[in-house]
Amino acid sequence: MRQTDYPTLYQTINALLRDLTPLTVDCGVLCGGACCKGDDKTGMRLFPHEETTLPVIEENGVRLAVCNGTCDRETRPLACRIFPFFPTVDEDGEIFVEADDRARRLCPLIVHSDELKFDPRFFKALKKVGKLLVKDPECRAFLEETTAEIDTYRAFLGE
């Protein structure tokens, strides 16, 4: 079995997403950049073997990149690049791009999704990202675990 070259994997992923975001405009205008207001105790969950230039804290075995609300957009973590969406995976390894309902309280993109025009290039790129990640056993396990968390949260909301 071949070992995953994680730096190359994440470089490829970052190149796929380039400067794509869910909207063709700056979505931070809608909410005052709510997702980019951080502190030294909260942050975005890192993907397996993902390196970051941001400070990292570990809470209950979960690595989080933390920031004060400003970062170099070129080096931001994958979770920041894809927020508030996630490449979920089913039992057959099929990738779906879905809203991450855990972000519902923070992000108006989820609550107002019927009223917004999303950039289809972002979703196409994120599906490709998911297909790359699912090939690696650790990344697949991470996708499966996070998919289960999202499904549990969605069930809690009654959706």
Side-chain angles (χ1 to χ4, degrees), residues 126-145:
L126 184 49
K127 188 163 188 166
K128 286 180 184 178
V129 165
K131 288 180 178 182
L132 287 172
L133 290 168
V134 81
K135 291 178 184 178
D136 174 74
E138 286 184 69
C139 290
R140 181 179 177 138
F142 178 82
L143 293 179
E144 290 170 345
E145 176 185 309

Side-chain angles (χ1 to χ4, degrees), residues 88-141:
T88 60
V89 61
D90 69 11
E91 59 278 348
D92 297 323
E94 180 83 19
I95 298 294
F96 301 89
V97 174
E98 298 184 272
D100 185 341
D101 283 311
R102 299 172 303 171
R104 181 174 291 280
R105 286 187 31 216
L106 182 65
C107 184
L109 294 186
I110 295 175
V111 178
H112 299 288
S113 63
D114 293 341
E115 306 160 30
L116 299 168
K117 180 160 175 47
F118 290 109
D119 186 346
R121 298 171 306 155
F122 170 81
F123 294 96
K124 184 177 179 181
L126 184 49
K127 188 163 188 166
K128 286 180 184 178
V129 165
K131 288 180 178 182
L132 287 172
L133 290 168
V134 81
K135 291 178 184 178
D136 174 74
E138 286 184 69
C139 290
R140 181 179 177 138

